[in-house]
Amino acid sequence: MKKVGFFRSILFKFVLIYVLLILVAMQIIGVYFVGELENKLVANFKSSISDNIKVLTFSLGETMAEHTQESNTPQIDGPTLEEDIQAILEDKLANDVTEVRVIDYISRRVIGTSNPDNLDMVGKKTTDLLVKRTLVSKQEDEDILRDRKNGERLWVLSTPILDKQDKIIGAVYTIADIENVYKRVKDINEIFITGTIIALGITAILGLLLGRTITRPMSDMRKQALAIAKGNYSRKVKVYGNDEIGQLAVTFNNMTKKLQDAQSTTEGERRKLSSVLAYMTDGVIATDRRGRVILINEPAAELLNVSRETVLSQPIVSVLGLKDEYTFDDLLEEKDSIILDHSTQKEAYILRANFSVIQKETGFVNGLITVLHDITEQEKIEEERREFVANVSHELRTPLTTMRSYLEALAEGAWKDENIAPNFLSVTQNETERMIRLVNDLLQLSKMDSRDYKLTKGWVNFGKFFNHIIDRFEMTIEKGHITFKREIPSTEIFVDIDEDKITQVLYNIISNAIKYSPEGGQITFRLKVEDESRIVVSISDQGVGIPKNNIDKIFERFYRVDKARSRNLGGTGLGLAIAKEMVVAHNGKIWAESKEGKGTTIFFTLPYEAGQEDDDWS
Ligand code: ADP
């Protein structure tokens, strides 16, 4: 942040306000004080002069009255009126009076002046307006004039001279120098201004010092706020006193402490949440209130097969691929979960999305949390279970229906017929046996499905064991019907197996080979050791073969390429499924290769460790 310039600072404003306030106060005081002082001084000046003039007017009045009487009586020698007046004017004048003129009422002539320079005016008619006005009105009159020579202010006063009968006999025209009074006021004004300037200077300095005590903690707080913004909580504001600012600083320090605690709590919670999100297996996506993704954990990105960076701030509906069916508001109201079927033709992939709305107490929606689970496996198991129940019911119903119809026929009288009855009974017997086989197979599978299914292993010389089983089959088949070919090494190959289970595996595979072999076909039995780590057993026939598309499916429960044919041959559709379970339980693999019409080979492997038998047998 930029530093605040001095002229924009609070300190400057503080000082400015301070100075302006003082200035305004001084101005008001100055205007009132100087104005009053001027009025008082001028009034004093005028009253002292007019008092002086009053005395003068009185003696002038008397002198003039005396001379009027003398002019009426016989002539007595003595001083003339002008001389008497001149004599009065010479001694009774106040200091500031510059000139006093006496004007005769009747002749309107100047009959005396105190100013020796103006003696030539004596005897001349007065032209002064002020005097004329007084002579007419018998009233005192005054004015302020400017001296023509030096421009100084002069106070002029015209006073009527009255005789004892209050008749006007003349006028006194006084000129006084009032400039001194104004000069004095001006001097006082100047002293006042100088005082004001000094006061302002001192005030400004005091203001600066005083203001700094307020602004320093403030700028300290500003610095601390900046430090907090950068994550540094270690600073503390210095507390200068216990005033409001001091209390603010204390509060600020407390707030910093609380903020630090809150921040560390939030940070802790955030870390906890992010590790929970990172280590949970469910996918979690959080959105803002407009439905844009603000958080997505790694499992969610993996489940949706997207990168976290690209989906951030994208609408959740398009991230989940629900853009066409749902809006964000629909998701907010969704009470149940939504199934996201991302299955392709090749692979099933189903997700379940549960939604939880983040809401304030006021009901304001803040966002949405979506939790994703991969339910592909669950769905697959469920589907398999449904299929299995349907298959089992179907497999049991077929022989039962057949048996019922034969038994009905027998009950209706066929039992009496010696030709039909044994045939019918043999059919029902076959069907019963098939059902028993089916139930046995199912029991076998369910045993293997159970968790505590265990193999009873032992060391077996596999070549010998394999030959022994083939021998048993060879004895049962009609001579010449099918030929057996063995490619089994005579060396001892010891493997650790559950003999009964592998017997069953071989039994199921070989009986299929025989079942599907044509008349005179050959069945080849092979055994070899591969990579010193496993044995590969294969049984090939020259039968009908299996279509390429179905080759992997033959190991599924109840799967048959040709249902009718399998059933006719007494198959349950579980033989290879059981074989597969057993081979896998031995950590082996089982698969088929086939050419339609040419024949089929079923392979299976079992783990083998070279030299193991020597150790064990020694
Ligand atoms: P089934 O009891 O029907 O024989 P299996 O699980 O043993 O049941 O075999 C499943 C299906 O695989 C059979 O129905 C058959 O269509 C096919 N199959 C198995 N072995 C062979 C083979 N050797 N030749 C041709 N088809 C075979």
Side-chain angles (χ1 to χ4, degrees):
M1 209 195 257
K2 255 174 54 186
K3 204 170 180 296
V4 182
F6 176 73
F7 291 105
R8 286 166 172 260
S9 67
I10 288 196
L11 188 60
F12 174 71
K13 285 175 193 157
F14 184 80
V15 173
L16 193 73
I17 290 169
Y18 218 74
V19 166
L20 282 176
L21 279 176
I22 299 264
L23 199 69
V24 168
M26 291 302 250
Q27 277 296 311
I28 293 168
I29 294 168
V31 167
Y32 176 75
F33 173 73
V34 174
E36 279 300 295
L37 190 73
E38 189 181 292
N39 289 344
K40 271 266 150 46
L41 286 176
V42 169
N44 279 349
F45 175 84
K46 286 180 179 173
S47 80
S48 81
I49 297 228
S50 51
D51 285 351
N52 181 244
I53 296 301
K54 259 185 201 132
V55 177
L56 186 76
T57 312
F58 182 74
S59 37
L60 282 172
E62 279 195 332
T63 312
M64 281 170 81
E66 274 170 26
H67 280 278
T68 323
Q69 274 176 4
E70 278 169 19
S71 63
N72 295 339
T73 54
Q75 201 73 40
I76 301 163
D77 274 350
T80 60
L81 173 65
E82 281 79 5
E83 280 166 352
D84 273 347
I85 284 174
Q86 209 61 41
I88 294 171
L89 289 181
E90 262 161 29
D91 57 34
K92 287 187 178 165
L93 288 184
N95 265 347
D96 292 316
V97 174
T98 50
E99 187 181 354
V100 175
R101 286 179 212 157
V102 182
I103 297 100
D104 181 50
Y105 173 68
I106 300 161
S107 63
R108 299 284 202 264
R109 280 172 209 281
V110 178
I111 50 172
T113 173
S114 64
N115 190 350
D117 300 338
N118 283 347
L119 280 177
D120 54 330
M121 281 180 87
V122 177
K124 286 189 182 153
K125 266 203 166 179
T126 181
T127 52
D128 202 278
L129 257 173
L130 212 63
V131 176
K132 282 181 184 167
R133 267 214 307 268
T134 305
L135 291 177
V136 173
S137 65
K138 275 170 68 180
Q139 295 292 322
E140 212 178 56
D141 211 344
E142 62 175 280
D143 201 1
I144 299 264
L145 300 175
R146 288 263 174 201
D147 191 332
R148 279 202 207 107
K149 282 182 241 153
N150 53 19
E152 286 188 349
R153 267 165 290 195
L154 298 170
W155 184 53
V156 292
L157 175 73
S158 148
T159 325
I161 308 172
L162 304 172
D163 64 4
K164 283 195 181 115
Q165 288 79 41
D166 248 0
K167 261 179 62 191
I168 186 154
I169 51 172
V172 176
Y173 181 71
T174 316
I175 302 172
D177 183 5
I178 201 172
E179 191 61 40
N180 277 338
V181 175
Y182 287 108
K183 262 194 195 138
R184 226 172 299 148
V185 171
K186 204 178 150 211
D187 287 347
I188 290 169
N189 221 352
E190 268 162 18
I191 291 168
F192 197 83
I193 288 170
T194 320
T196 305
I197 289 168
I198 293 169
L200 285 179
I202 293 170
T203 310
I205 292 165
L206 278 178
L208 269 175
L209 296 176
L210 220 76
R212 200 157 280 175
T213 60
I214 297 171
T215 55
R216 194 179 302 153
M218 277 182 175
S219 65
D220 264 14
M221 277 183 254
R222 176 176 164 271
K223 276 184 204 145
Q224 180 163 343
L226 284 174
I228 291 173
K230 283 181 190 151
N232 175 8
Y233 293 94
S234 60
R235 275 182 66 111
K236 269 210 151 77
V237 176
K238 207 170 162 197
V239 182
Y240 291 93
N242 195 25
D243 55 1
E244 286 90 333
I245 300 249
Q247 283 174 1
L248 179 64
V250 171
T251 316
F252 199 85
N253 284 338
N254 286 343
M255 191 192 74
T256 310
K257 175 102 193 24
K258 292 227 170 87
L259 208 63
Q260 184 176 14
D261 292 348
Q263 170 77 12
S264 61
T265 315
T266 317
E267 185 59 23
E269 290 299 320
R270 199 187 62 76
R271 269 202 221 116
K272 251 187 258 165
L273 183 68
S274 71
S275 61
V276 166
L277 284 177
Y279 291 110
M280 70 193 290
T281 47
D282 289 339
V284 177
I285 305 173
T287 73
D288 61 10
R289 63 192 166 81
R290 273 175 290 147
R292 304 203 173 262
V293 176
I294 50 171
L295 185 147
I296 174 165
N297 69 351
E298 202 52 52
E302 269 168 32
L303 287 173
L304 293 169
N305 195 22
V306 291
S307 86
R308 287 169 74 186
E309 291 72 29
T310 51
V311 293
L312 281 176
S313 76
Q314 294 293 313
I316 180 89
V317 277
S318 50
V319 172
L320 295 178
L322 297 170
K323 210 165 45 179
D324 301 333
E325 304 114 85
Y326 291 90
T327 63
F328 179 59
D329 290 332
D330 294 338
L331 296 188
L332 291 177
E333 261 146 49
E334 185 62 52
K335 295 278 178 300
D336 303 323
S337 52
I338 291 180
I339 301 296
L340 310 171
D341 195 345
H342 290 225
S343 306
T344 56
Q345 268 190 333
K346 275 190 194 156
E347 214 182 349
Y349 188 47
I350 302 159
L351 299 177
R352 190 176 63 216
N354 288 79
F355 302 98
S356 157
V357 181
I358 314 168
Q359 241 170 346
K360 279 190 183 170
E361 279 161 14
T362 51
F364 182 79
V365 173
N366 250 354
L368 182 75
I369 299 276
T370 308
V371 180
L372 296 173
H373 308 271
D374 182 351
I375 53 160
T376 313
E377 208 53 39
Q378 214 174 312
E379 282 291 296
K380 217 159 105 189
I381 291 168
E382 188 59 20
E383 181 60 33
E384 274 171 9
R385 193 192 59 80
R386 281 195 293 267
E387 227 170 79
F388 184 75
V389 172
N391 278 331
V392 171
S393 330
H394 184 76
E395 290 301 326
L396 286 173
R397 201 182 59 187
T398 318
L400 284 171
T401 328
T402 317
M403 278 166 66
R404 188 176 63 186
S405 48
Y406 278 81
L407 287 172
E408 268 170 12
L410 284 169
E412 276 165 20
W415 63 276
K416 287 182 216 152
D417 191 327
E418 276 180 26
N419 294 327
I420 303 168
N423 188 16
F424 275 22
L425 283 171
S426 122
V427 170
T428 50
Q429 202 177 352
N430 279 345
E431 291 299 319
T432 315
E433 269 163 20
R434 194 147 74 89
M435 278 204 296
I436 291 169
R437 263 204 313 281
L438 179 72
V439 173
N440 279 341
D441 282 355
L442 283 172
L443 278 174
Q444 184 103 42
L445 276 172
S446 96
K447 246 194 245 164
M448 283 190 288
D449 285 342
S450 78
R451 271 190 208 155
D452 37 40
Y453 173 70
K454 280 203 180 75
L455 296 173
T456 320
K457 282 185 180 175
W459 290 99
V460 175
N461 180 356
F462 202 83
K464 199 175 156 203
F465 162 75
F466 195 14
N467 272 319
H468 184 67
I469 290 171
I470 302 166
D471 289 345
R472 276 199 343 225
F473 272 98
E474 217 166 17
M475 278 189 282
T476 57
I477 56 164
E478 291 164 29
K479 277 243 157 84
H481 177 58
I482 294 169
T483 52
F484 281 6
K485 191 180 164 203
R486 307 180 196 207
E487 290 179 16
I488 301 165
S490 54
T491 47
E492 286 184 337
I493 302 169
F494 276 93
V495 283
D496 190 19
I497 53 167
D498 183 329
E499 209 176 316
D500 285 350
K501 301 290 178 313
I502 299 298
T503 306
Q504 172 128 38
V505 171
L506 287 169
Y507 182 87
N508 286 0
I509 298 171
I510 297 169
S511 54
N512 273 348
I514 295 169
K515 263 194 273 176
Y516 296 104
S517 276
E519 200 73 12
Q522 189 187 59
I523 298 177
T524 312
F525 302 91
R526 293 187 188 89
L527 168 66
K528 58 177 178 175
V529 176
E530 217 178 62
D531 301 335
E532 298 277 294
S533 65
R534 58 181 186 172
I535 57 164
V536 183
V537 183
S538 68
I539 294 128
S540 311
D541 63 54
Q542 297 171 332
V544 285
I546 303 160
K548 227 185 171 93
N549 294 344
N550 307 332
I551 198 114
D552 291 329
K553 291 188 184 160
I554 58 168
F555 298 100
E556 286 173 15
R557 294 174 188 191
F558 295 111
Y559 184 84
R560 289 125 157 183
V561 178
D562 183 339
K563 284 204 168 65
R565 186 174 174 162
S566 158
R567 244 181 235 125
N568 286 344
L569 294 169
T572 57
L574 293 172
L576 286 181
I578 292 171
K580 184 181 175 180
E581 293 282 346
M582 286 173 169
V583 170
V584 170
H586 279 86
N587 292 328
K589 271 189 197 164
I590 186 162
W591 71 98
E593 284 175 9
S594 181
K595 268 198 179 139
E596 248 180 304
K598 289 257 170 82
T600 308
T601 305
I602 305 284
F603 296 87
F604 73 88
T605 66
L606 290 171
Y608 164 73
E609 273 179 68
Q612 188 71 44
E613 64 277 11
D614 303 339
D615 298 345
D616 265 50
W617 285 91
S618 59

